[in-house]
Structure formats: structure tokens, C-alpha cells
Amino acid sequence: MSYDLIIIGAGTAGISAYTAAKRQTDNLLIINDGPWDTTCARVGCMPSKVLIASANQYHDAKNLSKVGIQAELQADLSGVLPRVREYRDRFTSGMQKTVDGWKAEHKINGKARFINHNTVEVNGQQYQAKAFIIAVGTTPRPNDEWQQAIGDRLLTTDTIFELEQLPSSIAVIGSGAISTELALALNQLGVETTVFSRGKNIANATSPKIQELINTALQPQLNVLFETTPESFELKDNQVQVHFNQGDEKKSIAVDYVLNATGRVSLLDGLALDQIDPSYDDIKSLPINEYTKQLADRPIFIVGDAHTTTPVQHEASNEGKIAVKNVFSYPEVKQGKDLAPLSIVFSSPEIALVGQSYQQLKDNNIDFEVGFASYESQGRATVLGKNVGGIEVYVDKASQVFLGAEIFVTDGEHLAHLLAWILNQKPTISDILSQPFYHPTLEEGVRTAFRDVKYKLKSS
Amino acid sequence: MSYDLIIIGAGTAGISAYTAAKRQTDNLLIINDGPWDTTCARVGCMPSKVLIASANQYHDAKNLSKVGIQAELQADLSGVLPRVREYRDRFTSGMQKTVDGWKAEHKINGKARFINHNTVEVNGQQYQAKAFIIAVGTTPRPNDEWQQAIGDRLLTTDTIFELEQLPSSIAVIGSGAISTELALALNQLGVETTVFSRGKNIANATSPKIQELINTALQPQLNVLFETTPESFELKDNQVQVHFNQGDEKKSIAVDYVLNATGRVSLLDGLALDQIDPSYDDIKSLPINEYTKQLADRPIFIVGDAHTTTPVQHEASNEGKIAVKNVFSYPEVKQGKDLAPLSIVFSSPEIALVGQSYQQLKDNNIDFEVGFASYESQGRATVLGKNVGGIEVYVDKASQVFLGAEIFVTDGEHLAHLLAWILNQKPTISDILSQPFYHPTLEEGVRTAFRDVKYKLKSS
């Protein structure tokens, strides 16, 4: 017997694909290894946002002097991590319920391996299908050496939310989006943080000016050691000693825990894709179409975080749906509607990228102009006591069409949606300046940035 | 000598008009009675937003248990009103600086009265012009009887920010947008509030469902007495006794102050417009074009709050600019670019209207369907401990085009901008559902509302 479709992986992309596919056929199978919920709900977006909500509000409460209130705060933070787990469980059990509603004969627990282009093996049994959607996701990059040295003092995003209590201190290895969110939240909650960064930047902005604003605001809070990686770890006096070099100097710090946030690795490796085609043994060079996620010209689609440069939930979910459309129209394969690129780091202030980033525009040799607005004295931001950062908008010089933005502003997630939703309309500067900007709002800073780029283009 | 243009009033609309006009001519005059700054900066949007920022953050700090933190807060609120005045002064002095930069011969202090269609008199001297822009704004509705009864215990928005300290209790007369903002902020700062409402609703939503959500959430906080107006006031024991009837029962409460927030009245009345045309003696029935703000077919434009149903700053500013264009193209008079209607009440949660309201759609006999999303268990709102309210979106039944929305959601100001910015593109439900909705955000509730209306239109 051959299934119409086998989906491998029941995370965000897999669940989205299954939901779409069961409207098309009952002859399908979904195979999953591990919990039947999502990285996002279990160890990703959701628990981190719960932690960040507590951290931000605690931080604001400690800084009421910014809004004219002298206050003393006595706080018991022992409920913070239990609340994270309570909500996490609520979100994952919601998903569990969805999955429980699926037909038992559609679901298999276990690790899939390809036998050939139309056959996988799970728990010793073989299953054939006309098409596959592969949505196996990622896992935190393991580090056996570190693990051996300090055991359960080495945390990843899989384990950090399981801590009974907030530690006193933590070393965070990596300064990408996830580590920035977590380190900042922990820091706001009184955890002493030290962040080790291979490079010179915090999070994912690419514009030198926005990067500088981010570094200036966040480095002192997070104690980021730039261009510094740990040499070794050892357990000593019930703490972890982190040894590292700064210049020629050997240094050490003692911390309660180490969070390995050096990135995530794809789980495609375990699927034996080389059994489909020997050339697929290197998952980094798979012939996957960037837009349709199709593997070569096969009825096989690799969606979600397993193979992407933009591991964000709404794109994974969208890819799952589009793959199902293409599975059932195969060999006709179409690109889905273009989603405006949008990424958000839930730091404070928030960091967001919309459309093409500064670096992408440079790499693509686009002739663009930059509009900038500082939020250091922006009206509403000042009133809120959150007047930090700024926004850059990028505009095509010839057509004056809006191309992208980099944002480091309080509530930046909303400004990012605003700009992402108009991006595909290809608005000009003048189109954007004729939108309503209510007073007094953070959105008025967006107007300042577009006025700035308008002025620059006039003067040039 | 005849000026090219005389502008009467130097508030938001007048300043905007002057700035635009001086690029066209040096032969102009601006006449102003009172301070050369704006209602918005001195007694409106700005000081209220400063107060609200303190109130919201203090309120959050007192309610940290919503985010898993048990805390005790000792706060000194004596700095709150001084901070309001400090920022208010900063904003108004910024404007003063702008006005100081204008040529002395362009500016006259004093009260203008029309003598005929092209002549005004100020301080006993007459000035003629080819065109007029009238931007005299509004003032809080006076009430002599109340004033006589309780003197300086009767506050308006002109005087409330001058209080040395926060009172213990206040009665707020009126339950419109401004009184809702102020009463809620005062209440969050520990002031005992009683709000007298002539009608059955708080603030300006028109949808029965959104109104009900607002009433349910805010009535208990604000202690709103619906369909109740005060009968009389008297000073007694250093407090104000407010006498009123509820049903057949006579009742009284004692409060420190009374805020008269029963609305604002236009300052057009003092201009002697009947000297232009005798039929202009009733300012309520002036023949003003809704879109161009032109008075009949004359080179006279009445802009800003002086004559509007939507007294919002960005529209006043926009009207000032458009009037100048029309003054200099007269007799050709064009409508400016349509701004999507957008109004925001900065309560918590915030209330916002975008496009056509529920009531306007009903009044215009539009055949529309309603999509609703509750935020009571919306993901991000729940995580933030701010899961209150909801959003309605209105869609044309035949074309499925988005027409308007009413919003009562935390950070609703941002959702309102998002929807206002796409409104004039006339997007369909499917256009909106194919926009990026980042996870987890408050924007995802907008998707829920559009999915709801999509489902209803499919089923019908």
C-alpha cells in the first residue's frame, strides 16, 4: 500500500501540513519522534515570551523613577519560572489536544529513515508514499566536551525553563537572537549575566548604525564580552568556572550555570536522505528550491526550521500549507504568496528587521538611501521613559520605493508589522508620508525616518 | 494694504498652516488670542499621555502578581504631576521656540472679529486679506452655575494638570474619550473616581459588543454611574458634595474635586462670522465643505477642532496644510488625500476606531459582516497578563473588502495603525490573511477576527 502523503515531523510546519492535508485525503501518515507539540510552544517562542513578560514588568517596576515615581519594591521572584512552565504546559497541552483529535491510524511515534525515494522505515516497518513533507525541525547544537566538563550545569533552551529557581549568575555562550532575549530577561530578573560573543554584535541587526545603538544600550546591561569564546569549563566550589582569554590575558569567571546558545542544528541528518540520492549526504548542499521548498524535482518538500535561513513560526506554518498544495498539484509546483520578511527579537527595546536588511541591500548592489530617526528624544518614547534606540528605513534611490527597515525601539514589534504589511504594496516615500500618524505615538518616529530619507534624496 | 492670507489661531492647525503658507508668500499674518502653542501640547494629548504613562506603569507595578511576582510596593506619587508639568513645559516651549522664529511683523496678539468678508479687526485695528484660514480651536464647555457653587474645586482639562498634588477623590462629569483617559489614569494612581455618564457607555466605541466589553472592564474600576447627571454641587467640610438622583433616590457623594469633562465648545462664536454673511450667525449650520473645509465658495477655510467631528491632532495639522494649498490655488479647491479615519483613546486597554465605525456602517445601510476576536485568552495578551477585551472587524458582504474596526485591546493603538494604513488599499479578507502575523503577537488576534468573518461569510 502506498500513502498519498507521509509527513515527517509534527512541529509547527508538520501540524500545519497535516491540518491542510487531511482536507485533501484520508490516506496519509504523520511520523513524529519525540513530543507531539512544537519547538515554539515547548522550548521556544512561548516560554521565552512568558519569561520576558515577567522580566519586563519587573524591570519597569524597579524603574518607576523614570515616570516620576519614587518607589521601593520588595519582590519574590520564586513564582516566575513556575509560571513559565504553567503557561508552557497550557500551550503544549492545547496542541496535544489537537493531535489527540487526529485518527490513530494516521500517527506513528518513532524515528523515520529513508530506504529509497518513496519508502521510509520507522520502528522496523516500511511505509511507502507518493509524496513526502519533511518537517523535522532543529535541536540545540550539542557540545559533548562542555557537557562532560559540567554536566547539568550546561543548559540549552531545552532545559533552561526546567530550572527550579532563577540562578544568581549565568554565562550565556552566543549573542544571537535567542541568547539576547533570554540573557536580557534573566538580567532584568536580577540574574548576573555574562555573554560570550564570537563577533562584535548583539542579536541580528545588520546596519552599522542600528548595531551600534544596540551595542551601546545592551552591552553594559548584559556584560557582553565581544570577540571572546570560552576556552574551557570546570566545576569548582559548586560553581562553574569559565576560563577564557582576553587579548593575551587569561581570565576566569564563576557562574551558577552556562547556557549554550551557540545555535541550533537541523534534524535532517538522521533521515538518511542519501538513500533517496547519494548526493544528498551533505544536508548543507541539498538542492532545495528557496521559494517552494521542493527537493530537486521530486514530490518531496522540506519545510520549517529543518532547512531555512529564517526560523520563524509563521513562515514554518505557511510553508507547511503551501507544501500540501504542491503535493496535491504535483508535478505542478507553485510558489506561495510572498510573505514580507519579518523578524523580531523580543529584547527591550525590541529589535526587528522588515523586508530587505541593510546588508542584503548592500550584497544585492541596490542603490538605496537610508532614513534615520532617533528615539532618544522621540515624544511618546520620552513620555513613556523608554526613549532609547532608533529606526532606519531603506528606500530605492531611483523609484523612492520602500525596501526594508531595521528597528531598535520599544514596542518595535508593532512598528515592524506596520511596515511589513505595506512592503509588498511597494509604497513610495510619499505614499507612506500620506498615511495617518496619530499623535502622540511611536509611529510618528517612522514618519521622522521617512522625512529624513525624503530630505536626503532631495538634497542629493 | 491687503495680505495674501490671514490665519486666525496659532494652535496645531494654525501653526501647520503658517509653516506651509510662508513657503508661498511673505505677505501673510497670523493672529492669535492666548498662548502661542497648541491645545494638544498644553492641556491635551501630551500632558494626558505623561500622566497615563506614570499611571499605567504604577498600575502594572502594583499588579506584578499577574506575571508571577509577589511584590510589595511603597511608592511616593508626589512627583507625578510635577513631571506632567515639566514635560508639558518642554513641549510647549519647543513650540514657543518655533513661533519665536517667525517674523515679528507676521504675528499679532489679540482677539480677531470679522468686519466684512475680507476684513478683520484686532486690538482696534483693521486688516484686510484675500483669504482666511480660521483655526481658532475649542475651549472646555464652561458651566457658570457649577463654577459659582464650588469655585476652584471645579476643574477642566485646562486646570487639572495644575493641581499641586493628586487629590484623594474626584467626580468626573462626562464619560467621553477625554474623561475616560483621565479618570482611568487618576484611578490607577489611587484617586477614588466617580464618573457621571448621561448615557450608557464609556468612551466612543459604537459597536454594542465592544461597548459591552468596555463597560464590563472599566465600569467597576471607574465607578461609572450610567444615565446619571449631577443635580447640584456644594462646598462642605472642605469637600465638594455632589448631589444626584438615582431612580427616585436622592444621593450625595463627597469628593475633593470635580472635573467638568462634558465636552468642548468651538471658539468660532467670538469671530462675528455674521459680518461675512448674516446667515453665518449660527455656527452649527455653517456651509462648510466636509472634505475641503471651505466656507461656501469663499477663500475662507475653517480647519482643526473649531469645526470637526474628529478633533484629532494629525487631522488638524493635515487640514492646515491642505487649506494653504487651496488658498493659493483658489478658486480651484481640491480635497486633500483621504486619511483613513483613526481615533484612539489611551485607556487601558486602549480603545480605537478605524475606518467606518459599526454605527456609521449601520447608518449608511452598508451590508456588512462582523468578525470578532476575544483577547480574553489570546496567546500574547495572556502571557502579558493583559488578556482583556476584543476586536471587531467589519467587511463588506459582497466584495469582502475591509471597511473598519473597533478595538478594545492592550496596545490597541498599534493594531489601529496597522489596520488604518491598509484601509485605503481596500484589502479583501484574503489579502489581509495573507499578511505576515508574527508569533506570538497581539496582531494574531487581528487574524482571528478576519478568520471569523471569513467563516461567517462562507457559512451564510
Side-chain angles (χ1 to χ4, degrees):
Chain A
M1 149 175 190
S2 174
Y3 289 96
D4 289 339
L5 170 62
I6 291 179
I7 298 165
I8 307 174
T12 296
I15 290 175
S16 159
Y18 178 87
T19 307
K22 72 179 175 184
R23 293 193 200 113
Q24 305 280 340
T25 182
D26 195 51
N27 184 30
L28 85 167
L29 201 59
I30 181 164
I31 301 165
N32 188 56
D33 184 29
W36 289 72
D37 54 31
T38 67
T39 297
C40 169
R42 197 176 64 260
V43 295
C45 0
M46 293 313 299
S48 62
K49 254 41 88 197
V50 183
L51 185 76
I52 289 166
S54 299
N56 287 172
Q57 291 184 40
Y58 178 60
H59 182 77
D60 283 352
K62 283 190 301 179
N63 290 280
L64 283 173
S65 62
K66 286 194 176 171
V67 287
I69 297 170
Q70 299 307 318
E72 276 203 30
L73 184 72
Q74 300 293 331
D76 171 4
L77 301 179
S78 63
V80 169
L81 284 168
R83 178 174 183 268
V84 170
R85 290 189 284 271
E86 181 199 325
Y87 279 89
R88 190 261 327 265
D89 291 348
R90 201 187 289 184
F91 294 121
T92 54
S93 74
M95 269 168 197
Q96 192 62 57
K97 234 182 224 168
T98 304
V99 170
D100 287 349
W102 299 352
K103 288 186 180 167
E105 60 267 34
H106 284 180
K107 293 179 285 188
I108 297 181
N109 270 307
K111 213 170 153 39
R113 277 177 58 88
F114 276 89
I115 301 299
N116 59 42
H117 71 284
N118 66 355
T119 313
V120 289
E121 187 178 291
V122 191
N123 308 327
Q125 191 150 352
Q126 296 196 357
Y127 302 88
Q128 296 198 321
K130 293 179 202 145
F132 292 87
I133 293 176
I134 299 175
V136 289
T138 59
T139 192
R141 184 188 306 281
N143 189 312
D144 292 342
E145 192 188 322
W146 297 358
Q147 185 74 45
Q148 276 193 329
I150 58 173
D152 63 6
R153 297 301 183 96
L154 184 69
L155 304 170
T156 66
T157 47
D158 279 355
T159 53
I160 190 167
F161 301 114
E162 299 304 323
L163 288 179
E164 273 308 300
Q165 284 307 319
L166 291 165
S168 301
S169 57
I170 194 166
V172 178
I173 319 302
S175 66
I178 295 172
S179 61
T180 302
E181 284 190 2
L182 292 178
L184 207 54
L186 292 171
N187 187 268
Q188 289 185 329
L189 289 163
V191 181
E192 201 182 307
T193 56
T194 307
V195 176
F196 290 81
S197 171
R198 271 194 312 189
K200 293 181 182 178
N201 294 306
I202 301 170
N204 60 346
T206 75
S207 139
K209 188 161 195 164
I210 299 296
Q211 280 178 338
E212 192 193 330
L213 288 172
I214 295 171
N215 285 0
T216 304
L218 302 188
Q219 191 283 333
Q221 282 178 69
L222 295 178
N223 187 25
V224 183
L225 306 176
F226 289 118
E227 299 186 291
T228 307
T229 47
E231 291 292 309
S232 63
F233 300 96
E234 61 172 326
L235 281 172
K236 195 172 156 188
D237 305 332
N238 202 28
Q239 284 208 302
V240 179
Q241 299 284 326
V242 185
H243 303 296
F244 58 99
N245 299 326
Q246 272 199 318
D248 293 340
E249 218 178 329
K250 284 191 184 305
K251 292 191 175 179
S252 295
I253 55 166
V255 294
D256 287 350
Y257 286 94
V258 175
L259 173 65
N260 178 3
T262 54
R264 300 181 66 88
V265 291
S266 173
L267 288 165
L268 286 177
D269 252 340
L271 292 176
L273 296 176
D274 57 336
Q275 299 300 311
I276 302 172
D277 183 311
S279 74
Y280 298 167
D281 66 337
D282 177 9
I283 62 160
K284 288 206 167 58
S285 59
L286 291 174
I288 297 174
N289 182 295
E290 187 184 346
Y291 302 104
T292 63
K293 299 291 174 176
Q294 186 180 17
L295 180 63
D297 57 356
R298 298 173 184 279
I300 300 178
F301 299 84
I302 300 185
V303 297
D305 290 0
H307 192 278
T308 185
T309 52
T310 56
V312 299
Q313 195 264 4
H314 72 277
E315 293 196 5
S317 172
N318 192 47
E319 286 169 16
K321 271 181 234 162
I322 292 168
V324 168
K325 268 195 194 162
N326 284 323
V327 159
F328 288 99
S329 67
Y330 184 84
E332 197 186 315
V333 169
K334 274 192 200 160
Q335 193 176 326
K337 261 200 183 175
D338 242 1
L339 281 181
L342 171 60
S343 86
I344 300 169
V345 178
F346 294 83
S347 46
S348 31
E350 292 176 342
I351 299 162
L353 308 188
V354 174
Q356 293 185 71
S357 69
Y358 181 92
Q359 194 56 51
Q360 284 170 335
L361 291 165
K362 285 281 179 199
D363 291 348
N364 296 334
N365 288 314
I366 310 286
D367 191 20
F368 69 104
E369 187 57 271
V370 179
F372 175 71
S374 169
Y375 274 67
E376 281 173 26
S377 57
Q378 202 269 346
R380 185 71 180 290
T382 304
V383 161
L384 291 167
K386 297 187 185 295
N387 46 322
V388 175
I391 175 174
E392 271 187 0
V393 298
Y394 311 123
V395 167
D396 183 80
K397 268 192 184 168
S399 65
Q400 301 219 347
V401 163
F402 170 56
L403 300 170
E406 301 204 6
I407 297 170
F408 177 55
V409 172
T410 189
D411 285 315
E413 58 182 300
H414 304 301
L415 305 185
H417 273 93
L418 187 67
L419 292 175
W421 278 36
I422 57 163
L423 186 82
N424 286 347
Q425 305 283 353
K426 303 193 192 310
T428 62
I429 297 173
S430 129
D431 291 335
I432 290 171
L433 290 177
S434 62
Q435 291 283 7
F437 293 84
Y438 208 82
H439 182 68
T441 61
L442 297 169
E443 280 78 0
E444 292 176 299
V446 174
R447 182 173 57 193
T448 308
F450 278 100
R451 282 180 178 165
D452 181 53
V453 70
K454 182 182 174 183
Y455 178 80
K456 282 177 183 159
L457 287 176
K458 254 190 195 158
S459 329
S460 68
Chain B
M1 151 178 186
S2 174
Y3 290 96
D4 289 337
L5 169 64
I6 291 178
I7 299 164
I8 307 173
T12 296
I15 290 175
S16 158
Y18 178 86
T19 307
K22 72 179 174 181
R23 293 193 201 112
Q24 305 279 341
T25 180
D26 195 52
N27 183 29
L28 86 167
L29 201 59
I30 181 164
I31 301 164
N32 187 58
D33 185 29
W36 289 71
D37 53 33
T38 67
T39 297
C40 169
R42 195 176 65 260
V43 294
C45 1
M46 292 315 296
S48 63
K49 254 42 85 197
V50 183
L51 185 75
I52 289 166
S54 298
N56 288 172
Q57 290 184 39
Y58 178 59
H59 182 77
D60 283 351
K62 282 191 301 181
N63 291 280
L64 284 174
S65 62
K66 287 195 176 170
V67 288
I69 298 169
Q70 301 307 320
E72 278 203 29
L73 184 72
Q74 301 293 330
D76 171 5
L77 301 179
S78 63
V80 169
L81 283 168
R83 179 175 183 266
V84 170
R85 291 189 284 273
E86 180 199 326
Y87 278 90
R88 189 262 327 266
D89 292 348
R90 203 189 286 185
F91 294 121
T92 54
S93 75
M95 271 169 193
Q96 194 61 58
K97 230 181 228 171
T98 303
V99 170
D100 287 349
W102 299 350
K103 286 185 181 169
E105 62 265 34
H106 285 182
K107 294 180 284 189
I108 298 181
N109 270 306
K111 214 169 153 41
R113 277 177 58 87
F114 276 90
I115 301 300
N116 59 41
H117 72 283
N118 67 354
T119 312
V120 289
E121 186 176 291
V122 191
N123 307 328
Q125 190 150 356
Q126 296 196 356
Y127 303 87
Q128 296 198 321
K130 293 179 202 147
F132 291 87
I133 292 176
I134 299 175
V136 289
T138 60
T139 192
R141 184 187 307 280
N143 190 312
D144 292 343
E145 192 187 321
W146 297 357
Q147 184 74 47
Q148 277 193 331
I150 57 172
D152 62 6
R153 295 301 183 96
L154 184 69
L155 304 171
T156 65
T157 46
D158 278 356
T159 53
I160 190 167
F161 302 115
E162 300 303 324
L163 288 179
E164 273 306 301
Q165 283 307 320
L166 291 165
S168 301
S169 57
I170 194 165
V172 178
I173 319 302
S175 65
I178 293 171
S179 61
T180 302
E181 284 189 3
L182 291 178
L184 206 54
L186 292 171
N187 187 269
Q188 289 185 330
L189 290 164
V191 180
E192 201 181 307
T193 57
T194 307
V195 176
F196 290 81
S197 172
R198 271 193 314 188
K200 293 180 181 179
N201 293 306
I202 301 169
N204 61 345
T206 75
S207 141
K209 186 157 195 166
I210 299 295
Q211 280 179 340
E212 194 195 329
L213 288 173
I214 294 171
N215 285 0
T216 305
L218 301 188
Q219 192 282 331
Q221 282 177 70
L222 294 178
N223 186 27
V224 183
L225 306 176
F226 289 118
E227 299 184 292
T228 307
T229 47
E231 291 292 310
S232 63
F233 301 95
E234 61 172 326
L235 280 172
K236 194 173 157 188
D237 305 332
N238 203 27
Q239 283 209 301
V240 179
Q241 299 283 327
V242 185
H243 304 295
F244 58 99
N245 298 326
Q246 271 198 319
D248 295 338
E249 218 178 329
K250 285 190 183 304
K251 294 193 175 178
S252 296
I253 55 168
V255 294
D256 287 350
Y257 286 94
V258 175
L259 173 66
N260 178 3
T262 55
R264 300 180 66 89
V265 292
S266 173
L267 288 166
L268 286 178
D269 252 341
L271 292 177
L273 295 177
D274 58 335
Q275 299 301 308
I276 302 173
D277 184 311
S279 75
Y280 299 167
D281 67 337
D282 177 11
I283 63 159
K284 287 207 168 56
S285 59
L286 292 174
I288 297 173
N289 182 293
E290 187 185 346
Y291 302 103
T292 64
K293 302 290 176 176
Q294 188 180 16
L295 180 64
D297 57 356
R298 298 174 184 279
I300 298 178
F301 299 84
I302 300 185
V303 297
D305 289 0
H307 192 279
T308 185
T309 53
T310 54
V312 299
Q313 194 264 3
H314 71 276
E315 293 196 4
S317 173
N318 193 47
E319 286 169 18
K321 270 180 236 164
I322 292 168
V324 168
K325 268 194 195 164
N326 283 322
V327 160
F328 289 99
S329 66
Y330 183 84
E332 196 186 315
V333 168
K334 273 193 201 159
Q335 193 175 328
K337 262 202 181 173
D338 241 2
L339 281 181
L342 170 61
S343 86
I344 299 169
V345 179
F346 294 84
S347 47
S348 30
E350 293 177 340
I351 298 162
L353 307 187
V354 175
Q356 292 186 71
S357 71
Y358 181 92
Q359 194 55 51
Q360 285 171 332
L361 291 165
K362 286 280 177 200
D363 291 348
N364 296 334
N365 289 314
I366 308 288
D367 191 20
F368 69 104
E369 187 55 271
V370 179
F372 175 71
S374 168
Y375 273 66
E376 283 174 23
S377 56
Q378 201 267 347
R380 185 70 179 289
T382 305
V383 161
L384 291 167
K386 296 187 185 296
N387 45 324
V388 175
I391 174 173
E392 271 187 2
V393 298
Y394 311 123
V395 167
D396 183 80
K397 268 192 185 167
S399 65
Q400 303 219 344
V401 164
F402 169 57
L403 300 170
E406 301 204 5
I407 298 171
F408 178 54
V409 172
T410 187
D411 284 316
E413 59 182 298
H414 304 300
L415 305 184
H417 273 91
L418 188 66
L419 292 174
W421 278 36
I422 56 162
L423 185 82
N424 285 347
Q425 304 283 351
K426 303 192 191 310
T428 62
I429 299 173
S430 129
D431 291 336
I432 290 171
L433 289 177
S434 62
Q435 290 281 8
F437 293 85
Y438 208 82
H439 182 70
T441 61
L442 297 168
E443 281 78 1
E444 292 176 300
V446 174
R447 183 173 57 194
T448 307
F450 279 100
R451 282 181 178 163
D452 181 53
V453 71
K454 182 183 175 182
Y455 178 80
K456 282 175 183 160
L457 286 176
K458 255 189 196 162
S459 329
S460 68

